[in-house]
């Protein structure tokens, strides 16, 4: 795993919730590659129990049952439990709640917009699971996060069912310059770093792709202008993910 850089203020904000005497519901959003999952992995090191569930990327072949089956597979894997088949999110959330009833626990639903995109009752079942089961563990911190910020805004942050339940809303921005500097050895000039940052910005994933032994021009050529380079088709991928679908327009 890559060295964790920056996000100290964000980690501090999250850590303050551990001092509460009740469960916390957190909404974390931000564009793809910004480091949401990595931040939560680092935060998870502070917990005795840390579980993360991730939806299947949406596509023409993605179905509600497919999302249920994948969640069930992850449940079985993370709790070393027998694999079961579920037809309803409510039953699956109940099975999860039975395994997180007590103890200091971080529970993450990553890319929640993928998870719930094929089921009209997903959010209602999630709200009921929080009210009825999850929050009974007063040491639980439950985080839902995703890259489709408009979906999260409409379906969670502005949804009447979640009013008064969200303890913290956090949007991750690009890393500040001082933190970006840590991706290079101290002997690299500020001018070289500036040239790379003018292309990548402070997006952690892009900065991880930088080879500090190469010049800025070589890095930019490799990432942006060489077939198969990480940033060659990045815009199309990010744009499609934002709207949860691909389009010719």
């Amino acid at each position: 795993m890559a060295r964790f850089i920056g996000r100290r203020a964000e980690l501090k904000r999250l850590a303050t919730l551990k001092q509460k005497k009740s469960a916390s519901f957190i909404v974390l959003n931000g564009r793809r590659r910004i480091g949401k999952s990595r931040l939560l992995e680092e935060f998870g090191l502070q917990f005795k129990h840390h579980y993360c569930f991730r939806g299947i990327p949406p596509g023409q072949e993605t179905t509600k049952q497919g999302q249920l089956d994948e969640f069930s597979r992850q449940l079985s894997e993370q709790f070393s439990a027998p694999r079961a088949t579920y037809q309803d999110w409510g039953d699956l959330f109940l099975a999860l709640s039975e395994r997180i009833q007590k103890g200091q626990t971080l529970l993450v639903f990553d890319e929640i917009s993928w998870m719930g995109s094929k089921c009209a009752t997903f959010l209602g079942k999630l709200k009921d699971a929080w009210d009825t089961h999850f929050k009974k563990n007063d040491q639980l911190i439950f985080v839902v996060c995703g890259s489709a910020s408009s979906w999260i805004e409409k379906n969670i942050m502005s949804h009447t069912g979640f009013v008064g339940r969200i303890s913290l809303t956090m949007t991750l921005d690009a890393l500040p310059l001082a933190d970006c500097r840590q991706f290079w050895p101290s002997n690299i000039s500020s001018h070289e770093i500036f040239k790379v940052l003018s292309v990548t910005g402070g997006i952690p994933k892009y900065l991880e792709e930088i080879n500090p032994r190469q010049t800025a021009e070589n890095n930019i050529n490799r990432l942006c202008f060489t077939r198969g380079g990480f940033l060659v088709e990045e815009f199309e991928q990010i744009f499609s993910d934002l709207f949860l679908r691909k389009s010719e327009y």
Side-chain angles (χ1 to χ4, degrees), residues 14-159:
L14 292 170
T16 58
L17 296 177
K18 296 175 62 182
Q19 302 169 12
K20 289 176 54 184
K21 297 185 182 298
S22 60
S24 297
F25 190 134
I26 300 174
V27 177
L28 175 65
N29 59 33
R31 54 153 290 172
R32 294 293 301 277
R33 327 289 195 213
I34 202 68
K36 300 182 298 299
S37 300
R38 186 67 181 89
L39 172 66
L40 293 173
E41 287 177 8
E42 191 71 15
F43 185 44
L45 297 177
Q46 303 178 26
F47 289 80
K48 183 177 180 179
H49 306 291
H50 173 203
Y51 307 108
C52 180
F53 296 86
R54 186 179 179 89
I56 303 172
Q60 293 183 348
E61 305 300 322
T62 309
T63 64
K64 170 189 171 182
Q65 190 58 51
Q67 297 286 3
L68 284 163
D69 291 343
E70 176 58 21
F71 195 104
S72 177
R73 184 195 66 77
Q74 295 177 34
L75 182 73
S76 173
E77 178 182 351
Q78 295 188 57
F79 290 94
S80 300
R83 180 84 174 268
T85 299
Y86 298 87
Q87 307 294 327
D88 180 84
W89 280 109
D91 294 336
L92 196 41
F93 291 151
L94 176 60
L96 172 61
S97 70
E98 291 172 346
R99 294 166 167 83
I100 57 170
Q101 292 179 352
K102 59 182 179 179
Q104 194 179 76
T105 304
L106 177 64
L107 174 65
V108 178
F109 282 8
D110 198 358
E111 296 297 356
I112 190 172
S113 57
W114 296 357
M115 198 179 292
S117 62
K118 300 296 182 178
C119 178
T121 62
F122 174 84
L123 292 169
K125 297 293 176 66
L126 179 61
K127 178 259 183 188
D128 289 343
W130 169 258
D131 287 345
T132 309
H133 303 294
F134 291 177
K135 73 176 185 179
K136 288 184 177 180
N137 180 353
D138 58 10
Q139 292 184 288
L140 172 71
I141 293 184
F142 176 43
V143 184
V144 298
C145 71
S147 306
S149 299
S150 59
W151 189 96
I152 290 178
E153 170 68 31
K154 175 182 177 181
N155 293 285
I156 297 181
M157 294 167 60
S158 300
H159 194 289

